[in-house]
């Protein structure tokens, strides 16, 4: 039954004629209280958008103003909230199609449904308390396969029956022979009754297993893998023949877990939570790939020896210099994704590829599995003396079941490649830009990717032709694309886009390119009525051999002749993140704060320093073993560029930022104390030995192996150089960068008898602040710091 929504083409025509212009109208300047208020006053953004099964409707999710609840809407000239009674017939965002594209399965609320794409009929397959995952069609299209935990099931459309296909168990086989024991052997030799009872049990068990295998109506026996491992990932071949597993040993603790204290609690007592280990503690464990033949029950390990370079330690020299034990045999390696996305089966079940990453993150391999021999056949190797990108690792099979596609940074930028059955690798995209978010059409004749070809911060959708390698932009929005989805009929793209002062909205664009039809504008009237400073996207020259450093400049439209303006420099967080783009910034509050600073007589520069996302491999890895050094050079260049070109006062430079931005603020005040007169370090890392493994070990290796990298990269080592005015602000229940980081720095500054610094603590805030009162208090302190030190 089709939902009673208006057909989208008519709705789109009306929307195209009536959609409001997204320009601002001049009213009063923003106040600090307004900028730090709950963001609902801006208008809640579109959080997710997806197509209906028939391509005639577009749905989206939006948060209710003043509430944490989300509603589902159908897009159109007047968006309509879908009632609770209608939700049972609404499609989920991700549909999985059969080969003929006559049916599709989807997960909704953890349950599995199938949609008949001819009639629109929706059939519920599961209704469980444990969520299903990874639905796929069997190679013959007659059934739907899915997993619950790591148990795999099949739903037969003809029989309307859910049956188990594979039941792996990380436990000892209860029927397995016990370990050798002298007393047991003696008992069986001497006591005939015990021997007879054992033989009878063994015979009964063997007969039961033989009957189970011969009887198609019986569930398969569990697959016992042993009690000394855990199952990390599993993937079933669509033909139902093979199960591929990734397992690891049960972890052993070799490092203390952090304790997070809470002082302001409902109970009135102090409470403590266990949190992450520090870098270098409890290293990720090596995985073993296991292949199960479900027809015979045969279980075989797949050795990693065939992976080129797996037995060569790229850190051997460093290990030897530290007199550490050398790596013996193969380096530890794991699937690229423990959720199962590191395994890709072809649609017919005849081919499987795995993406494997060395635990030291210096290598990533894509390999096929020879199913008959249970061994790997290497297809592609990406190696990096610094570290392999954690993103841009998508791969899969084209509909011919023989051609592999994948993303690789081998040229220094993420691009799309195919590898044919003849072993020939082809680059479908190239250049000094990045291809991400790959979407293929049903026959593999075209792909769409996110691209930033014009400038690193301008994101559009590009169409790619595998036939001739042609690449062309198919969107041209007055902002930036956040994500996109190809319609089921493959004729249009549903695009979530945003702009500097426009939170994420929805538009539709022809898949071949053309005019965008904007379907939503969820901004409040109050927010749209304000006039904002459009950030100028500028390229700051580097004096250190880097490419130009892209930045956002906030300044008055006209500078007063002869006047020098105090400078505030903003540092985005996360290290590997991009903020200089035409999209709506993660730092939207900070953007409003920058408007306020310009009103008060400052100029502001927000830079995508080296290590930021979107600029390719060399930019990303420039900080290897020297965090806080290339980035600081970029900010010094930025300050001098402002003085030379925009009347910036080089004697009045301040800096601020949170997380990585707080870390770099410390480095600026402590390593360039003559230039940076004041700074606010928010939720900052002060010592990288206290941060997590996954992020830090990529960049600095581990503290036992590379202590010098940690020493030169940690602000606490430079605390004695502090001269300027410093504000430290930190949430006390921060479970990302622990509050302890700021407390240790405070004690260091006390012992050094430093002046002109303060620590502001926020008892109820985590890493990302939530409460408007905390936001206001923090930015009041930042504003007052700059007012008294830079004016």
């Amino acid at each position: 039954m089709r939902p009673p929504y208006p057909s989208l083409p008519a709705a789109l025509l009306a929307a195209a004629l009536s959609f409001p212009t997204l320009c601002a109208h001049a009213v009063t300047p923003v106040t600090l209280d307004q900028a730090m208020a709950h963001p609902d006053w801006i208008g809640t953004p579109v959080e997710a958008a997806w197509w209906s099964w028939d391509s005639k409707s577009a749905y989206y999710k939006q948060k209710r103003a003043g509430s944490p609840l989300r509603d589902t809407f159908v897009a159109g000239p007047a968006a309509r909230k879908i009632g609770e009674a209608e939700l049972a017939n609404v499609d989920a965002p991700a549909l999985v199609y059969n080969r003929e594209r006559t049916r599709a399965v989807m997960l909704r609320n953890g349950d599995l449904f199938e949609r008949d794409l001819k009639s629109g009929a929706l059939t519920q397959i599961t209704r469980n308390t444990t969520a299903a995952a990874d639905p796929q069609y069997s190679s013959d299209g007659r059934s739907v396969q899915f997993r619950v935990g790591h148990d795999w099931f099949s739903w037969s459309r003809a029989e309307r029956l859910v049956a188990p296909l594979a039941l792996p168990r990380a436990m000892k086989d209860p029927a397995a022979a016990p370990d050798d024991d002298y007393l047991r052997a003696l008992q069986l030799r001497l006591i005939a009754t015990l021997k007879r009872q054992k033989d009878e049990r063994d015979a009964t068990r063997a007969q039961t297993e033989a009957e189970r295998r011969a009887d198609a109506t019986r569930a398969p026996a569990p697959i016992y893998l042993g009690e000394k491992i855990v199952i990390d990932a599993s993937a079933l071949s669509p033909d139902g023949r093979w199960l591929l597993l990734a397992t690891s040993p049960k972890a052993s603790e070799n490092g203390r877990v952090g304790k997070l204290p809470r002082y302001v609690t409902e109970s009135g007592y102090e409470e403590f939570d266990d949190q992450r280990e520090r870098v270098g503690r409890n290293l990720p464990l090596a995985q073993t790939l296991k292949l199960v033949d479900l027809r015979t029950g045969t279980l075989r390990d797949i050795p990693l020896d065939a992976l080129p370079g797996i037995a060569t330690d790229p850190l051997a020299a460093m290990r030897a210099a530290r007199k550490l034990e050398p790596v013996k045999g193969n380096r530890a390696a794991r699937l690229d994704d423990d959720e199962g996305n590191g395994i890709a089966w072809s649609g017919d079940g005849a081919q499987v590829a795995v993406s494997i990453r060395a635990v030291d993150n210096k290598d990533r391999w894509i390999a096929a599995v020879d199913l008959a021999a249970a061994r790997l056949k290497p297809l592609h190797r990406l190696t990096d003396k610094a570290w392999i990108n954690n993103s841009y690792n998508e791969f899969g099979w084209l509909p011919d079941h023989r051609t592999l596609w994948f993303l690789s940074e081998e040229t220094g930028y993420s691009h799309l490649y195919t590898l044919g059955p003849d072993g020939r690798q082809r680059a479908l995209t190239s250049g000094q830009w990045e291809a991400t978010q790959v979407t293929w059409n049903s026959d593999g004749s075209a792909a769409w990717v996110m691209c930033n070809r014009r400038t690193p911060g301008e994101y559009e959708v590009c169409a790619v032709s595998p036939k001739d390698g042609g690449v062309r932009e198919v969107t041209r929005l007055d902002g930036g694309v956040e994500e996109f989805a190809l319609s089921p009929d493959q004729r249009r793209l549903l695009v979530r886009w945003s702009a500097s002062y426009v939170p994420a909205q929805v538009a539709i664009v022809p898949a071949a390119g053309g005019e965008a039809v904007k379907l939503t504008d969820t901004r409040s009237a109050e927010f749209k009525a304000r006039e904002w400073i459009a950030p100028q996207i500028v390229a700051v020259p580097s004096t250190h051999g880097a490419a130009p450093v892209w930045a956002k400049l906030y300044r008055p439209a006209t500078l007063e002749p002869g006047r020098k303006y105090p400078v505030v420099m903003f540092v985005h967080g996360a290290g590997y993140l991009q903020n200089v783009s035409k999209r709506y910034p993660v730092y939207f509050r900070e953007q409003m704060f920058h408007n306020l600073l310009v009103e008060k007589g400052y100029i502001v520069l927000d830079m995508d320093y080296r290590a930021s996302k979107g600029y390719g491999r060399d930019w990303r890895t420039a900080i290897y073993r020297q965090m806080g050094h290339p980035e600081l050079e970029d900010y010094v260049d930025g300050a001098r560029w402002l003085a030379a070109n925009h009347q910036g006062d080089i004697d009045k430079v301040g800096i601020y930022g949170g997380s990585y931005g707080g870390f770099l603020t410390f480095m600026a005040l402590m390593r360039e104390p003559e230039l940076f007169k004041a700074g606010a370090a928010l939720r900052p890392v002060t010592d990288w030995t206290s941060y997590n493994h996954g992020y830090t070990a990529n960049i600095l290796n581990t503290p036992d192996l590379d202590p010098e990298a940690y020493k030169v990269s940690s602000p606490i080592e430079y605390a004695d150089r502090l001269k300027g005015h410093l504000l430290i602000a930190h949430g006390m229940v921060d479970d990302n960068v622990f509050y302890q980081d700021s407390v240790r720095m405070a004690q260091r500054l006390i012992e050094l008898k430093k002046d002109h610094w303060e620590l502001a603590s926020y008892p109820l805030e985590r890493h990302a602040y939530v409460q408007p009162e905390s936001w206001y208090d923090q930015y009041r302190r930042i504003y007052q710091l700059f007012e008294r030190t830079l004016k």
Side-chain angles (χ1 to χ4, degrees):
M1 177 176 175
R2 290 173 58 179
Y5 306 139
S7 75
L8 195 58
L12 290 183
L13 178 60
L17 296 174
S18 62
F19 189 83
T21 304
L22 294 180
C23 62
H25 304 282
V27 286
T28 55
V30 69
T31 64
L32 184 62
D33 194 47
Q34 185 76 80
M36 300 300 143
H38 194 287
D40 279 2
W41 81 272
I42 297 169
T44 56
V46 172
E47 295 181 342
W50 67 98
W51 289 100
S52 64
W53 64 273
D54 57 5
S55 304
K56 292 184 177 180
S57 297
Y59 305 118
Y60 64 90
K61 285 272 190 186
Q62 186 181 2
K63 177 187 170 297
R64 294 181 191 174
S67 167
L69 302 179
R70 268 71 177 167
D71 295 308
T72 302
F73 291 83
V74 61
R80 184 176 71 83
K81 186 172 83 169
I82 296 175
E84 294 180 0
E86 300 173 84
L87 289 174
N89 198 47
V90 172
D91 298 298
L95 297 179
V96 178
Y97 297 94
N98 66 351
R99 184 177 56 229
E100 296 80 16
R101 293 183 74 89
T102 58
R103 298 178 181 276
V105 290
M106 64 180 179
L107 285 169
R108 190 176 64 203
N109 302 320
D111 288 316
L112 193 59
F113 299 80
E114 184 181 56
R115 177 82 74 180
D116 186 318
L117 299 182
K118 293 181 179 178
S119 67
L122 188 66
T123 301
Q124 185 165 3
I125 296 174
T126 66
R127 185 178 295 166
N128 292 328
T129 55
T130 305
D134 293 343
Q136 62 187 28
Y137 276 95
S138 61
S139 55
D140 61 11
R142 296 177 183 174
S143 60
V144 175
Q145 300 163 343
F146 60 95
R147 67 176 176 88
V148 177
H150 290 294
D151 290 345
W152 283 87
F153 297 87
S154 174
W155 173 74
S156 166
R157 188 179 306 103
E159 298 172 345
R160 291 295 194 267
L161 180 68
V162 173
L165 291 176
L167 305 172
R169 295 286 181 268
M171 57 187 294
K172 186 175 181 179
D173 185 348
D179 296 336
D180 290 340
D181 184 273
Y182 170 76
L183 290 178
R184 180 176 183 275
L186 181 65
Q187 287 287 85
L188 291 175
R189 180 171 63 84
L190 296 176
I191 309 300
T193 302
L194 292 177
K195 178 67 166 60
R196 183 173 64 252
Q197 290 173 340
K198 175 188 177 300
D199 292 343
E200 289 172 352
R201 287 196 309 272
D202 291 346
T204 301
R205 190 178 294 115
Q207 182 182 7
T208 301
E209 183 57 31
E211 291 174 350
R212 182 194 296 273
R213 292 191 180 282
D215 186 351
T217 67
R218 299 280 298 274
I223 303 162
Y224 294 103
L225 306 173
E227 74 277 17
K228 297 180 180 180
I229 64 167
V230 294
I231 302 172
D232 297 322
S234 63
L236 179 74
S237 64
D239 62 5
R241 169 75 185 274
W242 307 95
L243 181 69
L244 188 59
L245 298 153
T247 67
S248 57
K250 286 185 176 177
S252 59
E253 293 291 329
N254 62 7
R256 292 175 58 182
V257 175
K259 297 286 185 181
L260 182 67
R262 301 169 182 271
Y263 296 102
V264 180
T265 64
E266 289 185 15
S267 70
Y269 293 88
E270 303 93 334
E271 297 174 4
F272 299 86
D273 293 338
D274 285 347
Q275 293 297 333
R276 59 166 173 79
E277 299 93 353
R278 269 67 167 177
V279 60
R281 306 289 181 167
N282 296 335
L283 301 180
L285 297 171
Q287 285 180 332
T288 298
L289 295 179
K290 296 178 180 291
L291 182 66
V292 184
D293 186 335
L294 297 175
R295 291 183 187 174
T296 65
T298 304
L299 172 66
R300 292 175 292 176
D301 286 350
I302 301 174
L304 304 186
D305 303 57
L307 298 176
I310 186 70
T312 303
D313 179 14
L315 299 171
M318 194 177 293
R319 209 178 300 278
R322 295 287 301 161
K323 295 182 171 54
L324 298 175
E325 188 73 19
V327 174
K328 298 177 181 178
N330 292 339
R331 284 183 284 156
R334 299 176 62 88
L335 282 182
D336 220 6
D337 189 317
D338 283 350
E339 295 301 314
N341 296 324
I343 304 173
W345 284 97
S346 61
D348 62 358
Q351 306 274 351
V352 63
V354 292
S355 180
I356 298 172
R357 184 183 295 260
V359 166
D360 60 32
N361 219 5
K362 308 294 187 187
D363 278 284
R364 186 202 71 180
W365 301 271
I366 298 176
V369 179
D370 182 332
L371 297 171
R375 66 182 178 215
L376 295 179
K377 298 186 294 184
L379 302 176
H380 182 266
R381 180 189 182 188
L382 184 63
T383 188
D384 199 307
K385 65 181 181 180
W387 76 94
I388 301 293
N389 201 337
N390 286 329
S391 303
Y392 310 159
N393 55 4
E394 303 165 54
F395 74 112
W397 296 93
L398 290 182
D400 65 1
H401 310 311
R402 297 296 179 270
T403 303
L404 187 78
W405 66 267
F406 59 93
L407 291 177
S408 173
E409 259 190 339
E410 61 192 68
T411 65
Y413 292 84
S414 173
H415 283 296
L416 178 61
Y417 297 82
T418 58
L419 184 66
D422 59 358
R424 180 186 170 209
Q425 178 176 307
R426 292 184 60 217
L428 303 188
T429 64
S430 61
Q432 293 186 356
W433 56 278
E434 301 198 310
T436 59
Q437 297 187 30
V438 183
T439 297
W440 289 90
N441 65 358
S442 59
D443 63 5
S445 63
W448 289 262
V449 300
M450 192 81 79
C451 56
N452 58 347
R453 298 200 306 170
R454 277 175 282 151
T455 67
E458 293 184 74
Y459 286 91
E460 303 290 354
V461 181
C462 283
V464 181
S465 170
K467 184 177 180 180
D468 58 16
V471 179
R472 57 188 177 82
E473 289 184 4
V474 296
T475 61
R476 183 62 69 92
L477 288 150
D478 52 352
V481 175
E482 302 272 357
E483 59 184 1
F484 66 95
L486 183 65
S487 62
D489 64 11
Q490 304 178 92
R491 295 166 52 196
R492 286 168 294 177
L493 300 174
L494 184 62
V495 176
R496 217 163 59 89
W497 68 280
S498 64
S500 292
Y501 295 99
V502 182
Q505 306 296 328
V506 176
I508 288 181
V509 181
E515 192 68 25
V517 177
K518 296 172 182 174
L519 301 182
T520 62
D521 184 1
T522 62
R523 296 174 298 162
S524 69
E526 180 183 5
F527 187 75
K528 287 192 288 186
R530 291 180 175 269
E531 181 179 15
W532 301 102
I533 297 171
Q536 300 177 35
I537 295 183
V538 296
V540 178
S542 169
T543 62
H544 297 87
V549 186
W550 291 89
K552 285 181 178 177
L553 172 62
Y554 299 82
R555 47 154 278 184
T558 303
L559 298 174
E560 295 181 21
R563 178 181 176 181
K564 287 188 176 182
Y565 293 79
V567 170
V568 171
M569 309 191 81
F570 174 67
V571 191
H572 69 65
Y576 191 48
L577 182 148
Q578 185 176 25
N579 200 47
V580 181
S581 79
K582 293 190 174 182
R583 295 166 168 166
Y584 189 67
V586 173
Y587 301 96
F588 60 91
R589 289 186 183 89
E590 289 82 348
Q591 181 171 249
M592 290 186 284
F593 182 57
H594 298 160
N595 275 253
L596 184 149
L597 289 175
V598 173
E599 290 172 25
K600 302 300 183 181
Y602 299 85
I603 56 175
V604 181
L605 195 66
D606 169 3
M607 306 186 79
D608 268 351
Y609 50 86
R610 275 175 283 178
S612 296
K613 188 175 184 177
Y615 299 84
R617 179 265 170 201
D618 290 350
W619 200 260
R620 170 174 58 83
T621 61
I623 61 170
Y624 180 57
R625 303 188 66 223
Q626 54 172 358
M627 295 169 82
H629 292 254
E631 315 96 292
L632 182 54
E633 292 173 351
D634 296 339
Y635 273 86
V636 171
D637 281 343
R640 291 173 178 162
W641 179 80
L642 287 176
N645 296 277
H646 295 276
Q647 298 176 214
D649 190 338
I650 199 65
D651 295 321
K652 295 179 179 179
V653 179
I655 188 169
Y656 85 101
S659 192
Y660 200 95
F663 150 73
L664 202 52
T665 295
F666 274 137
M667 295 296 265
L669 265 68
M670 296 171 180
R671 293 191 58 247
E672 290 285 349
E674 302 303 327
L675 175 60
F676 295 96
K677 299 301 190 296
L682 320 176
R683 52 198 181 276
V685 174
T686 65
D687 182 351
W688 286 107
T689 63
S690 296
Y691 200 54
N692 68 35
H693 182 87
Y695 179 82
T696 317
N698 285 344
I699 307 170
L700 301 180
N701 302 308
T702 55
D704 62 331
L705 186 62
D706 201 353
E708 186 62 25
Y710 282 81
K711 183 176 182 180
V712 302
S713 301
S714 295
I716 201 165
E717 300 284 355
Y718 303 96
D720 60 321
R721 303 186 192 179
L722 178 66
K723 293 182 179 180
H725 295 255
L726 170 64
L727 165 66
I728 308 170
H730 213 135
M732 295 176 68
V733 289
D734 189 335
D735 51 4
N736 183 350
V737 179
F738 292 159
Y739 176 63
Q740 181 191 32
D741 264 62
S742 288
V743 173
R744 289 182 66 225
M745 178 63 85
Q747 180 61 28
R748 181 78 177 126
L749 297 175
I750 290 168
E751 293 176 359
L752 291 168
K753 299 180 180 179
K754 292 294 181 181
D755 198 359
H756 308 306
W757 68 274
E758 61 178 310
L759 170 61
S761 303
Y762 298 87
L764 291 177
E765 297 295 354
R766 293 185 180 273
H767 196 61
Y769 287 17
V770 173
Q771 305 305 324
E773 298 87 352
S774 299
W775 277 102
Y776 176 83
D777 184 84
Q778 181 174 249
Y779 276 77
R780 173 184 57 80
R781 293 172 186 270
I782 298 170
Y783 175 67
Q784 291 174 347
L785 170 71
F786 292 150
E787 282 287 283
R788 69 174 180 265
T789 60
L790 302 181
K791 286 291 185 72

